[in-house]
Structures are given as structure tokens and as C-alpha cells.
């Protein structure tokens, strides 16, 4: 306190300003902070892929209410002046829309329950259609072990431009990484919304699945940024053929 007062004069003594700032920050719903930073991260991914004229589709695993899915469409539409070819991007989202179902052993988590993650497929479809304009989108309903089984090629996906993964658990993330493995490319951005879940363990959750994906796919990634309450964004910088 003495150092603050001598260094910053009267501002150092105005502790009530710090108290006000603390109360404001403490009072903000964590989900609000997370979503705002997530939107900024997605904006960055769509901008950087547009600047690089990267072709490919947007893939989202864990659509929930569709907020990230629709935001990505909005961001992409704003990038058309930078890269007109971005108009060819398709948007494909996967979700059970019923929560998690039965979790594998080791995936149990106090917050990951069906009650917290059930949502309406029809409502999300309508919300997306309202913002999609001329962009093609598909929402594929079902648990990942069924909906991802056919593979990306069967869904008309040859290259992924941006991947957003909000799949929470190791089991579901593993299916998602297997799905994107044939369609990733140098410059693909991957956002992992729950990278620091399970008390930060590297041997659980999305972090474990991502580590296996990197090793098995022979890819190299660079970490671009962390965001929100536990998200991280990476870009693929090389792929061993």
C-alpha cells in the first residue's frame, strides 16, 4: 500500500475504485466472459483463414444452443471481401441435443450431465437458418459414435478450415478427432473449448484426446491463444505425409 501510494499518488489511495472493479468482475457470470472471449477467438480464426485464402468447411462438435455455430457463420460472412472463395464454405454441426448419454469410465465430471446440456434441435435449426443466408449448413443429430461413423467424406467434407470442439469428454473428443483426421490441412484452426477440464489433467478429457490426435496423425501445431474459462486455440503448421 505504501509503495502504491508513493508511486501512483492519489490513485493509489483510492482503494474504493479497486473494490468497485473487483465487485464488477466478480459479479459477471463466468459463462458471459467465456462466450465473449470465445467469440473473439472464433473471429480471429475466421479472419486468419480468410487472409490466407484457406479453402474448406467449418466443423463443430457440440453445438448445444447454436451460439458458436451461428457466430461462425456471421464471422465468415464478414470475411467475404477479404476472400470471396470463403463463400464455398459449408457449416456442419454435430450434437446429440440430448446431453451426454452414458459416460465412459473416467469421463465422469460433476458439471457434464444431461440436465445441463440438453437443448432443442428444432430451435437451433431455426436460429441457424435465420443467419445462414446463402451459406449451406447441416446439423447432424445423434451421439458421436453413430453420427460420425460414416466419416467426413460421406458428408461431402474434403478439407476443414476451422474446427470448433465443445465435446467436453475424452470419449466424444476421440470420435471427433478421428473424424477430422483425413480433412485437416496446414492452416486449419482448431478450438478446444474444454482444454483445461478435469482439474487440468493431461490424461483426461479433450487434452488427452488432442495429445493422441497429434501423435497419431503426425501433425505439428502451434498454440495461438487461450480464451475464456478453459479454452485454447491451435493452428496446424505441418503434416507429415
Amino acid at each position: 500500500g505504501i509503495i502504491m501510494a508513493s508511486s501512483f499518488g492519489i490513485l493509489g489511495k483510492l482503494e474504493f475504485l479497486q473494490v468497485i472493479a473487483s465487485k464488477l468482475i466478480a459479479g459477471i457470470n463466468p459463462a458471459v466472459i467465456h462466450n465473449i472471449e470465445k467469440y473473439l477467438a472464433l473471429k480471429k480464426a475466421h479472419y486468419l483463414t480468410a487472409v490466407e485464402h484457406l479453402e474448406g468447411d467449418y466443423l463443430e462438435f457440440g453445438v448445444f444452443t447454436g451460439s458458436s455455430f451461428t457466430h461462425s457463420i456471421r464471422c465468415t460472412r464478414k470475411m467475404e471481401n477479404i476472400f470471396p472463395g470463403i463463400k464455398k464454405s459449408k457449416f456442419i454441426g454435430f450434437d446429440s441435443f440430448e446431453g451426454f448419454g452414458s459416460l465412459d469410465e473416467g469421463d465422469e465430471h460433476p458439471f457434464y450431465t444431461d440436465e445441463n446440456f440438453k437443448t432443442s434441435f428444432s430451435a437451433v435449426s431455426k436460429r441457424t437458418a435465420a443467419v445462414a443466408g446463402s451459406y449451406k449448413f447441416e446439423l447432424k443429430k445423434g451421439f458421436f459414435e453413430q453420427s460420425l461413423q460414416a466419416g467426413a467424406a460421406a458428408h461431402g467434407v474434403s478439407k476443414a478450415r476451422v474446427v470448433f470442439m465443445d465435446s467436453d469428454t475424452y470419449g466424444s473428443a476421440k470420435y471427433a478427432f478421428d473424424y477430422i483426421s483425413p480433412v485437416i490441412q496446414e492452416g486449419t484452426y482448431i478450438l478446444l473449448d474444454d482444454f483445461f477440464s478435469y482439474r487440468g489433467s493431461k490424461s483426461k478429457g479433450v487434452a488427452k484426446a488432442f495429445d493422441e490426435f497429434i501423435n497419431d496423425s503426425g501433425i505439428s501445431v502451434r498454440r495461438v491463444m487461450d480464451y475464456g474459462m478453459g479454452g485454447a486455440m491451435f493452428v496446424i503448421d505441418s503434416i507429415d505425409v
Side-chain angles (χ1 to χ4, degrees):
I2 295 173
I3 296 175
M4 283 286 291
S6 62
S7 300
F8 298 99
I10 189 65
L11 287 178
K13 299 177 183 177
L14 298 180
E15 187 176 339
F16 77 93
L17 289 178
Q18 298 176 54
V19 172
I20 290 172
S22 172
K23 287 183 176 179
L24 284 172
I25 293 171
I28 299 174
N29 188 315
V32 172
I33 295 175
H34 181 80
N35 286 334
I36 290 173
E37 293 191 11
K38 175 181 65 177
Y39 293 157
L40 290 171
L42 282 166
K43 174 78 171 183
K44 180 176 287 191
H46 290 296
Y47 167 75
L48 291 171
T49 52
V51 168
E52 298 291 345
H53 286 199
L54 192 73
E55 297 182 345
D57 300 326
Y58 173 82
L59 305 176
E60 182 166 311
F61 303 90
V63 177
F64 194 35
T65 63
S67 62
S68 305
F69 197 71
T70 53
H71 178 70
S72 283
I73 295 175
R74 291 188 185 99
C75 289
T76 299
R77 294 180 68 172
K78 293 295 184 181
M79 295 300 113
E80 292 176 3
N81 61 324
I82 296 175
F83 175 40
I86 209 167
K87 296 176 186 177
K88 297 177 182 177
S89 288
K90 299 189 299 291
F91 292 78
I92 304 179
F94 301 88
D95 202 298
S96 70
F97 296 95
E98 296 176 6
F100 292 95
S102 57
L103 291 175
D104 295 335
E105 185 178 351
D107 275 346
E108 299 91 350
H109 190 283
F111 188 65
Y112 299 157
T113 65
D114 288 346
E115 290 73 21
N116 285 335
F117 288 91
K118 279 186 179 179
T119 187
S120 167
F121 175 80
S122 60
V124 175
S125 296
K126 290 177 182 177
R127 190 175 299 129
T128 305
V131 303
S134 60
Y135 282 90
K136 296 178 180 178
F137 76 90
E138 293 181 59
L139 293 172
K140 297 188 178 294
K141 183 177 181 179
F143 293 108
F144 288 177
E145 54 263 42
Q146 283 87 40
S147 61
L148 302 181
Q149 190 175 32
H155 297 149
V157 179
S158 59
K159 293 291 182 184
R161 181 173 57 87
V162 177
V163 175
F164 180 73
M165 201 172 293
D166 190 7
S167 50
D168 301 311
T169 65
Y170 168 78
S172 57
K174 179 76 170 147
Y175 286 115
F177 282 124
D178 288 345
Y179 182 91
I180 69 170
S181 186
V183 297
I184 54 172
Q185 58 185 313
E186 184 178 319
T188 297
Y189 278 79
I190 300 178
L191 291 85
L192 307 176
D193 211 52
D194 305 285
F195 192 64
F196 298 101
S197 292
Y198 296 96
R199 304 184 182 185
S201 173
K202 288 184 177 180
S203 60
K204 287 188 175 184
V206 176
K208 177 184 179 183
F210 185 55
D211 189 55
E212 293 177 353
F213 166 66
I214 291 174
N215 293 330
D216 295 345
S217 301
I219 67 172
S220 173
V221 299
R222 294 177 65 192
R223 191 172 188 149
V224 180
M225 64 183 293
D226 297 335
Y227 67 88
M229 295 299 174
M233 180 164 73
F234 300 83
V235 61
I236 296 174
D237 67 351
S238 68
I239 301 176
D240 292 338
V241 180

